[in-house]
């Protein structure tokens, strides 16, 4: 028998609701997507509650669920996945935070949470952050990495740390930065909160006097003079993908968070040039990478972000256009592969209805296409059409086992 491939395409935030400006249709219903609709006519559809019924998912736990990992067990805080995605190695015991360069005044009032957002000096400033020593706990070391714009990650490494600490980032402006507090009554949590507070004040001292910031001020830009942290996390202790399912998998994604999720579950991560995670991401380059990866990997997890970005920004036309670009990407993938060798699934990690500009707990549509599948009567891929699909209503955790079964990679139960 020919070795079958599984391609799981997750279009972040693709699902939506009936939009008045679209005559109460959804962007998926309005978008011109001949390839996906053709696959739908020959495939099986349904809807998924990715985390659980009525639960608006964050992207990291949602993608974990679609990869077959129970988010209630495996989601250990966003910071850990961001750190892995930015290429920092994490070890058991490390505590990772999402971090922002921000602008504060001398009273530590937040003037700009993003320090003007455009921060070409980020890598330079990160070097200075990495030199910070924690005097109250000399055995704890600091690792800081700058990501894009004002973003970065902070990792604390040393014994006796805990992720049960509150954020220093108030997530709003014109208020004072927050003092991190222990969230459990353990010596580890108390110690970690103290370390984070010491780090935060030291970051202000180091960054305020940094020549790159003095230069920013002289050019009329806001100084990036403090690091604010949130989302403490640890490395999840989970069985890696290959060990668990017996197949080798790879991830093609633009955004660090999703790369981090993929690394955490043991997928290889490909870096594709032009895959930015934005609305302008080079989806054809991702399609080419997927076709090539199919020579080597049995499971390909392809994530695209743009639909979610458009939703958060309330951009209806851009969301429709992005879905149309996804259709072309899918066309290229199908063209490049032997259709008798591939099970292809398309879904979203959650709905991001444009009317609420955020993630919602609505179920997402799903399609499974592949050889010898008994198809249903659904002939268009959308939230409304997939309500009538043959898969019915499944959980996020159910999708991967179904794909493994179709591709003859599932383990038999009993004799
Ligand atoms: Zn998402
Ligand atoms: Zn989102």
């Amino acid at each position: 028998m020919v070795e079958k491939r599984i391609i799981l395409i997750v279009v972040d935030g693709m699902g939506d609701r009936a939009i008045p400006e679209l005559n109460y249709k959804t962007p998926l219903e309005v978008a011109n997507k001949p390839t996906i609709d053709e696959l739908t006519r020959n495939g099986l559809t349904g809807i998924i509650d990715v985390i659980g019924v009525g639960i608006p998912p964050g992207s990291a736990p949602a993608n974990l669920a679609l990869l077959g990992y129970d988010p209630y067990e495996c989601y250990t805080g966003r910071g850990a996945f961001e750190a892995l995605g930015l290429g920092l190695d994490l070890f058991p015991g490390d505590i990772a935070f999402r971090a922002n360069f921000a602008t504060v005044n001398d009273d530590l009032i937040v003037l700009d949470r993003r320090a003007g957002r455009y921060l070409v000096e980020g890598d330079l400033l990160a070097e200075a952050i990495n030199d910070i020593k924690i005097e109250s706990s000399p055995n704890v070391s600091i690792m800081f990495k700058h990501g894009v714009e004002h973003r970065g990650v902070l990792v604390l490494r040393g014994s006796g740390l805990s992720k049960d600490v509150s954020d220093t980032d108030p997530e709003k402006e014109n208020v004072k930065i927050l003092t991190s507090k222990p969230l459990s009554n353990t010596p580890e949590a108390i110690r970690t909160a103290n370390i984070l507070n010491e780090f935060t004040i030291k970051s202000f001292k180091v960054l305020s006097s940094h020549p790159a910031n003095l230069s920013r001020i002289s050019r009329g830009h806001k100084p990036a003079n403090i690091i604010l942290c949130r989302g403490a996390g640890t490395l999840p202790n989970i069985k890696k993908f290959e060990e668990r399912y017996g197949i080798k998998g790879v991830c093609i994604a633009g955004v660090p968070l999703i790369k981090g999720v993929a690394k955490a579950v043991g997928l290889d991560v490909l870096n594709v040039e032009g895959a930015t995670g934005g609305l302008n991401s080079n989806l054809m380059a991702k399609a080419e990478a997927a076709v090539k990866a199919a020579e080597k990997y049995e499971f390909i997890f392809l994530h695209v972000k743009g639909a979610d970005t458009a939703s958060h920004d309330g951009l209806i036309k851009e969301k429709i256009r992005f879905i149309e670009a996804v259709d072309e990407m899918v066309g290229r993938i199908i063209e490049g592969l032997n259709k008798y060798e591939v099970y292809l699934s398309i879904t979203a990690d959650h709905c991001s209805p444009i009317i609420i500009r955020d993630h919602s707990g609505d179920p997402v549509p799903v399609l499974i296409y592949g050889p010898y599948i008994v198809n249903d009567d659904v002939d268009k891929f959308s939230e409304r059409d997939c309500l009538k699909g043959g898969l019915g209503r499944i959980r996020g955790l159910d999708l991967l086992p179904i794909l493994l079964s179709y591709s003859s990679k599932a383990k038999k139960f009993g004799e």
Side-chain angles (χ1 to χ4, degrees):
M1 187 194 273
V2 184
E3 196 57 64
K4 302 282 194 295
R5 303 285 182 253
I6 299 170
I7 300 188
L8 171 58
I9 299 175
V10 175
V11 185
D12 206 307
M14 174 170 61
D16 213 298
R17 289 184 185 166
I19 300 177
E21 290 91 326
L22 298 179
N23 224 352
Y24 294 93
K25 290 191 164 154
T26 70
L28 252 182
E29 287 181 296
V30 172
N32 177 32
K33 44 178 182 22
T35 300
I36 296 176
D37 286 342
E38 172 68 21
L39 300 182
T40 303
R41 275 189 281 284
N42 296 298
L44 185 58
T45 63
I47 56 173
I48 306 183
D49 293 299
V50 178
I51 305 268
V53 178
I55 298 175
S59 289
N63 282 278
L64 278 170
L66 294 173
L67 291 167
Y69 287 83
D70 186 345
Y72 288 101
E73 283 169 25
C74 306
Y75 182 64
T76 48
R78 180 154 175 168
F81 299 99
E82 292 274 358
L84 288 169
L86 278 180
L88 284 175
D89 286 327
L90 273 192
F91 294 100
D94 289 354
I95 312 296
F97 299 84
R98 302 174 75 190
N100 269 15
F101 282 99
T103 308
V104 293
N105 68 14
D106 288 343
D107 297 324
L108 302 180
I109 306 289
V110 180
L111 303 178
D112 186 336
R113 269 194 74 231
R114 300 182 176 89
R117 198 184 270 272
Y118 299 101
L119 192 62
V120 286
E121 304 88 345
D123 290 347
L124 198 60
L125 295 172
E127 277 177 34
I129 297 293
N130 275 302
D131 289 337
I132 289 176
K133 302 274 178 283
I134 301 296
E135 273 154 51
S136 61
S137 297
N139 76 330
V140 170
S141 54
I142 300 284
M143 270 150 292
F144 182 87
K145 186 150 185 199
H146 174 230
V148 290
E149 300 178 341
H150 55 282
R151 301 185 194 94
V153 286
L154 169 72
V155 174
L156 302 178
R157 179 167 296 161
S159 56
L161 298 172
S162 165
K163 74 178 174 77
D164 294 338
V165 294
S166 66
D167 302 343
T168 55
D169 185 347
E171 299 203 53
K172 48 186 172 202
E173 285 159 5
N174 302 314
V175 294
K176 198 167 175 185
I177 66 162
L178 300 176
T179 301
S180 177
K181 303 223 165 58
L183 298 175
S184 63
N185 195 15
T186 61
E188 290 82 7
I190 294 166
R191 181 162 173 257
T192 308
N194 287 337
I195 291 168
L196 183 59
N197 290 326
E198 183 183 331
F199 165 80
T200 306
I201 297 302
K202 287 207 162 136
S203 77
F204 176 62
K205 287 194 180 133
V206 166
L207 293 174
S208 299
S209 57
H210 196 286
N213 266 326
L214 301 179
S215 156
R216 275 178 76 84
I217 294 168
S218 72
R219 285 178 285 133
H221 295 165
K222 293 171 183 166
N225 61 7
I226 199 163
I227 302 294
L228 298 178
C229 293
R230 64 193 201 279
T234 51
L235 188 69
N237 181 14
I238 53 182
K239 210 175 198 181
K240 301 291 184 198
F241 198 84
E242 190 171 356
E243 201 186 326
R244 190 163 164 180
Y245 302 117
I247 54 174
K248 265 181 98 63
V250 68
C251 163
I252 299 168
V255 281
L257 179 67
I258 302 300
K259 291 183 183 179
V261 167
K263 275 191 190 162
V265 304
L267 298 180
D268 288 349
V269 175
L270 295 183
N271 286 314
V272 176
E273 204 166 323
T276 58
L279 279 162
N280 62 351
S281 189
N282 187 345
L283 300 191
M284 285 320 234
K286 284 179 141 174
E288 299 296 342
V291 170
K292 190 141 199 308
E295 292 168 13
K296 186 172 161 201
Y297 295 96
E298 296 162 274
F299 176 74
I300 296 153
F301 170 56
L302 199 170
H303 174 275
V304 292
K305 172 77 179 164
D308 188 56
T309 312
S311 291
H312 283 291
D313 292 342
L315 304 171
I316 301 176
K317 272 193 200 131
E318 283 76 358
K319 185 164 183 177
I320 294 168
R321 227 175 281 142
F322 188 80
I323 291 169
E324 291 174 344
V326 169
D327 190 70
E328 286 171 27
M329 177 186 82
V330 173
R332 176 66 195 99
I333 292 172
I334 286 291
E335 199 182 279
L337 297 169
N338 178 342
K339 68 175 183 173
Y340 294 103
E341 292 176 14
V342 175
Y343 285 89
L344 182 136
S345 181
I346 303 173
T347 189
D349 54 348
H350 46 77
C351 289
S352 291
I354 285 191
I355 50 156
I356 59 172
R357 296 194 179 199
D358 206 347
H359 307 181
S360 74
D362 315 359
V364 296
V366 60
L367 160 70
I368 300 176
Y369 167 86
Y372 319 118
I373 279 191
V374 178
N375 63 326
D376 55 26
D377 290 337
V378 175
D379 56 6
K380 275 204 168 72
F381 186 70
S382 76
E383 299 83 346
R384 203 183 315 264
D385 291 288
C386 290
L387 290 172
K388 298 173 279 192
L391 276 172
R393 186 166 188 152
I394 61 173
R395 301 173 307 159
L397 273 177
D398 296 330
L399 181 62
L400 196 80
I402 293 170
L403 296 173
L404 291 169
S405 168
Y406 272 124
S407 57
S408 309
K409 296 181 196 308
K411 288 195 185 85
K412 192 187 271 179
F413 180 89
E415 288 304 311

